[in-house]
Amino acid sequence: MRFIFYLLPCLLNIVSGLLFFITAKRAADANIPSLAVTATLAIWATVYASTSFIVGRYTTKENAVRTLFISQMILLLSLAGLLFMPAIKLQYLFMLGCGCG
């Protein structure tokens, strides 16, 4: 059971790497300015850093697994939105959700 706890963050890192590539590629293919392409990663990084700091203050051994599963659900919904709604402007909203997850 102890190793399953570490498996989810490992898979999350793999998915995040794919997420960054695909989001930037979609934005570049839409011929939007380069600043807007790089803003997709900047939005995620800013929200992720802020959320990690805030959640890290409240996470304990007792609620760590619950917190992990909640974050996975937020991520799942955000990634599903990125997958099924290819609109460029909505990508920024879903990247914000991915950062929270």
Side-chain angles (χ1 to χ4, degrees), residues 1 12 16 24-26 31 45 48 50-51 53 57-58 66 72 81 92:
M1 184 67 177
L12 173 65
S16 296
K25 172 124 177 53
R26 276 188 186 170
N31 293 325
Y48 179 75
S50 303
T51 304
F53 179 73
R57 292 181 153 274
Y58 299 106
R66 187 182 69 210
Q72 297 295 318
Y92 296 106

Side-chain angles (χ1 to χ4, degrees), residues 3 14 17 37 39 47 60 63 65 68 70 80-81 85 87-88 90 96 98:
F3 296 110
I14 293 169
V37 173
V47 173
T60 62
N63 67 2
V65 174
L68 183 64
I70 290 170
M85 296 182 189
I88 298 300
L90 281 178
L96 187 126
C98 287

Side-chain angles (χ1 to χ4, degrees), residues 18-74:
L18 292 170
L19 168 78
F20 301 143
F21 173 74
I22 291 169
T23 305
K25 172 124 177 53
R26 276 188 186 170
D29 288 346
N31 293 325
I32 61 175
S34 59
L35 179 64
V37 173
T38 57
T40 57
L41 183 58
I43 288 172
W44 174 86
T46 304
V47 173
Y48 179 75
S50 303
T51 304
S52 295
F53 179 73
I54 293 167
V55 172
R57 292 181 153 274
Y58 299 106
T59 302
T60 62
K61 286 183 180 181
E62 291 78 29
N63 67 2
V65 174
R66 187 182 69 210
T67 302
L68 183 64
F69 282 122
I70 290 170
S71 72
Q72 297 295 318
M73 289 300 118
I74 293 170

